[in-house]
Amino acid sequence: MLGALSLFRSSNEEWTPLSPRSHYPSMPSYPNTTDHVLSYTTAVFSVVGMSCAACAGSVEKSIKRLPGIREAAVDLINNRSLVIFSPSFLNEETIREAIEDAGFEATLLTVTDELNDKSVQVCRIQIKGMTCTSCSSTIESALQAIQGVIEARVALATEEAQVHYNANVVNYNQILEAVQDTGFEASLISSGEDMFKIDLLVQGALDEHSMKLIKESLEVRPGVLGVEIHQEFNKISISYKPDMTGPRDFIKVIEETEPGNFKANIFPPEGGQRDAHRNEEIRQYYRSFLWSLMFTIPVFLTSMVLMYIPGIKHVLDTKVVNMLTLGEVVRWVLVTPVQFIIGRRFYSGSYKSLRRGSANMDVLIALGTNAAYFYSVYSVLRAATSKTFMGTDFFETSAMLISFILLGKYLEIVAKGKTSNAIAKLMNLTPDTAILLTLDNEGNVTGEEEIDSRLVQKNDVIKIIPGAKVASDGFVIWGQSHVNESMITGEARPVAKRKGDPVIGGTVNEKGVLRIKATRVGSESALSQIVRLVESAQMAKAPVQKFADRISKYFVPLVILTSIATWLAWFLAGKFHAYPKSWIPSSMDSFELALQFGISVMVIACPCALGLATPTAVMVGTGVGATQGVLIKGGQALESAHKVNCIVFDKTGTLTIGKPVVVSTKLLTNMVQREFYELVAAAEVNSEHPLAKAIVEYAKKFRDEENPAWPEARDFESITGHGVKAIVRSKEIIIGNKSLFVDQNVAIPIEAEDILAEAEGMAQTGILVSINGKVAGVLAVSDPLKPGAPEIISILKSMKIRSIMVTGDNLGTANSIAKEVGIESVIAEAKPEQKAKHVKDLQASGYTVAMVGDGINDSPALVAADVGMAIGAGTDIAIEAADIVLMKSNLEDVITAIDLSRKTFSRIRLNYFWALGYNLLGIPIAAGVLFPSTGYRLPPWIAGAAMAASSVSVVCCSLLLKYYKRPKKLDNLDIGGIRIESSSDAN
């Protein structure tokens, strides 16, 4: 379902006079439970022949290349593919053929009308306890194995999972149980059922009878789809159709059920659940660290400081039993609660990890600290039972290791929380309150009331005072002002608003008072959908992350083997006197020296840093992109964009403004313009093409009415990429380009050829009109270039990116436009499927191709390209097909998107350098390679501190992306927006 959400581009008009109305693009939409104009069908195919993730990706890509596809998910384990598509654009057979064209056998299993069968749902789950990529991979595999789960993504950085599932086969409770069975804590954040669901808190003397009465009162309300009672929380969950009812109606029903007995308001939002979970986790680690520190500092002092103070040293060396000293007893008592109470989380994590057949960071920590602790216990017990044994304990190693690791985890979680600040800022844009107006039948205000903004319903009239935030998506019904939309679109210049203009919730009213009518509320709003798009993007894994996933499978077992090998090598070397005795510190023997080397190797290795290298950078990068007006749909798009070395631009609406106007008319028959344009407009009014709309708009000049009734057109036919045919007043009308006239065997006179050539030379599109088989006139239509287009092409050249223009327009016009902007390669008169073919040809030549377009006919090329970029003013289909959405519709954002992706991947490489550097350099040093030549060894507690620092450094490195600034070259361009002077501005 493609909801039409409004995002904006501003005008170049000065501040004081109101500028012409802006053109408002659509935004990507998400499935919801309300009826829309477009209907969708869900089909499930059996796919035979897939053997790996690359095969599944190939099938998914082949399906998504088709126009009208809303969602395509491939289940490799069950050899299934689920496709949600619009029957208006294609059928099941076309999809099946596309799968077979990819090289696999496909059989249609089921087809359902999605509007009648809400079987496919999405749930998001919070997961506690993940420490590295082996954890996330284990959960992902467990979820994929559930019958009915179509797709599952688990993100380590956000500690969340997003699962697409068939509600007829499995429910979200079973999915939660599957996560918990793998040894992790899971809680539901949201499900597909929540899209139009409101939770209300009911206060009062509630019992089973009153709850039942309230439920029955709500269920009979028009538009209510379902009511759930949660008596333990005094909570009522209501699913509803927002077109028919809303939360204010529900509150009124509840409070009127037994007047005076009940009060209702919106339940505290569960959207804060993730923040609450993260804050609680931060508090837990902070408390654990402080408690650990309380015990560790005395241990550190007694073992490394006080031993050098003569009086205190004598006390600590006092014998308690045989050779057991008071200092050893004190350290043992202090360290034990750190090891087993404060450090129990590492035992728990290790057990759960080993139970599911894998090993994570907790295993390394548990082994390292246990080795130090239990060897120390052995040393203490032997000293207590011997009159000659002089043992050395490593209690400080165990305690300091746990303290440093807890500190590192605390800092890591704090830093990770900041990576999602972009989403938090977006979510906080909505105002807390709104001024609701009551109108009489004549539209006069009879009252106003300040309400919670979450109680705004569709068709409410809201008052927006100067300086206030717009409470809901809607359109202006009274007043005029300028609205600052930079927080949504990234566009700094305030946009003029007057009657009929749309506005977005969360934007700021600068000057005058506005009254708006709410059209989209709750999860339908532009802001909500942008938040969901960014959240979804942050869930998606970049292909480069597979590198870390592969390493994580073998990392911990390899480290354990390396640690054992290190201990054994040093122990045997000491046993057989392979090194001088002088190398052994006076406080230990050869066994203890070897043990310290082994423990250091075990605790310095950090799989967490590798796992966080990519997702944290992708999270920050996509969040920064959203604030810049560039919506990047996930890590795949971000990774592909940084490799782009060739950009294919559509012409109309991309390089040009996309609002063409008729600039001249040449009649070749004895007919007045009014009569000529009546016939032409009657034929073109049925077409959605921008050129057709320009002609119809121009034809209105010859009629007095604002919306004239044109003559009836029979047998209308739209010929994609060529023009239209129709019968008007018993006359056959053909309107289109030269190719159409050749196909229709209509002779083009020399005079018409000359007019076409002249128009093309002036970068205008020439349109032929024939009446009853004879050319009756030639129209010249001009579509002005977007501001700054030549400069953008020049900057791309300096970035070593080749620019190509592809258009369905004629070669002459295309060449003129290309020359004007500085593009040397032009492909003209291309049909939609030909655009996609040209993109594939460029890919075959070795280019990484980005396609920039805005129309339905660009969708195949957008999907075929390595990176599809949809101009924000484009159609829903184009935006759905694209990987990146440029919300401001400015070409400068093409450069911003590519530059941001390059900066992000530069950061990812730097993260991998840090993560691998710590391990590749740290492990050999911890193993003692420098000890023979320098005498330097890395004590286990320092190794533990280095391991903790590696994760923190990677996250902080990603956080530096928050300070991203677009290229300075763009700041010198004057591309504030788009202004069109034409007769169509009055629309």
Side-chain angles (χ1 to χ4, degrees), residues 665-734:
T665 308
K666 298 289 176 66
L667 297 184
L668 304 179
T669 184
N670 189 17
M671 180 184 289
V672 296
Q673 278 202 17
R674 177 186 175 94
E675 182 185 355
F676 174 79
Y677 270 104
E678 278 202 349
L679 297 174
V680 172
E684 290 282 31
V685 75
N686 296 305
S687 174
E688 289 296 315
H689 197 281
L691 295 180
K693 290 184 176 182
I695 293 169
V696 172
E697 199 62 41
Y698 187 79
K700 289 180 181 179
K701 287 187 174 184
F702 302 98
R703 303 286 289 269
D704 295 331
E705 309 99 306
E706 175 66 23
N707 293 299
W710 304 108
E712 181 186 359
R714 294 182 293 105
D715 301 332
F716 173 81
E717 183 183 355
S718 176
I719 300 135
T720 304
H722 292 288
V724 299
K725 289 172 60 180
I727 304 295
V728 181
R729 290 178 178 167
S730 302
K731 295 176 181 177
E732 183 188 41
I733 310 296
I734 301 176

Side-chain angles (χ1 to χ4, degrees), residues 500-523:
D501 285 340
V503 290
I504 300 180
T507 55
V508 179
N509 183 23
E510 295 272 344
K511 289 198 171 181
V513 177
L514 295 175
R515 293 178 195 163
I516 68 162
K517 188 170 187 177
T519 55
R520 295 183 181 89
V521 295
S523 58

Side-chain angles (χ1 to χ4, degrees), residues 375-432:
Y375 176 77
S376 301
V377 170
Y378 159 77
S379 176
V380 166
L381 293 176
R382 187 173 173 190
T385 57
S386 171
K387 294 183 179 180
T388 57
F389 179 75
M390 292 286 292
T392 304
D393 67 85
F394 297 136
F395 283 125
E396 79 284 351
T397 295
S398 168
M400 291 174 73
L401 266 177
I402 289 174
S403 295
F404 275 118
I405 289 161
L406 289 172
L407 174 62
K409 291 299 289 182
Y410 166 73
L411 295 174
E412 179 188 322
I413 294 167
V414 170
K416 276 164 64 179
K418 293 179 180 179
T419 61
S420 57
N421 276 358
I423 290 180
K425 287 178 181 176
L426 284 171
M427 294 177 74
N428 290 333
L429 288 177
T430 307
D432 295 328

Side-chain angles (χ1 to χ4, degrees), residues 564-671:
I564 294 170
T566 300
W567 168 79
L568 191 62
W570 279 101
F571 175 69
L572 292 176
K575 191 82 172 170
F576 294 105
H577 309 292
Y579 59 82
K581 270 195 172 183
S582 60
W583 285 12
I584 305 172
S586 58
S587 59
M588 60 181 73
D589 58 23
S590 61
F591 175 85
E592 292 165 346
L593 178 66
L595 183 65
Q596 280 218 348
F597 281 127
I599 293 173
S600 293
V601 168
M602 193 169 295
V603 297
I604 200 171
C606 182
C608 294
L610 275 173
L612 293 170
T614 299
T616 52
V618 169
M619 281 183 70
V620 180
T622 51
V624 168
T627 62
Q628 297 272 343
V630 177
L631 292 185
I632 303 170
K633 297 182 182 179
Q636 171 77 59
L638 203 58
E639 179 167 347
S640 299
H642 93 281
K643 302 174 185 174
V644 166
N645 53 16
C646 178
I647 298 183
V648 177
F649 289 94
D650 174 46
K651 180 178 76 69
T652 306
T654 303
L655 291 172
T656 63
I657 287 174
K659 198 168 185 181
V661 291
V662 176
V663 292
S664 69
T665 308
K666 298 289 176 66
L667 297 184
L668 304 179
T669 184
N670 189 17
M671 180 184 289

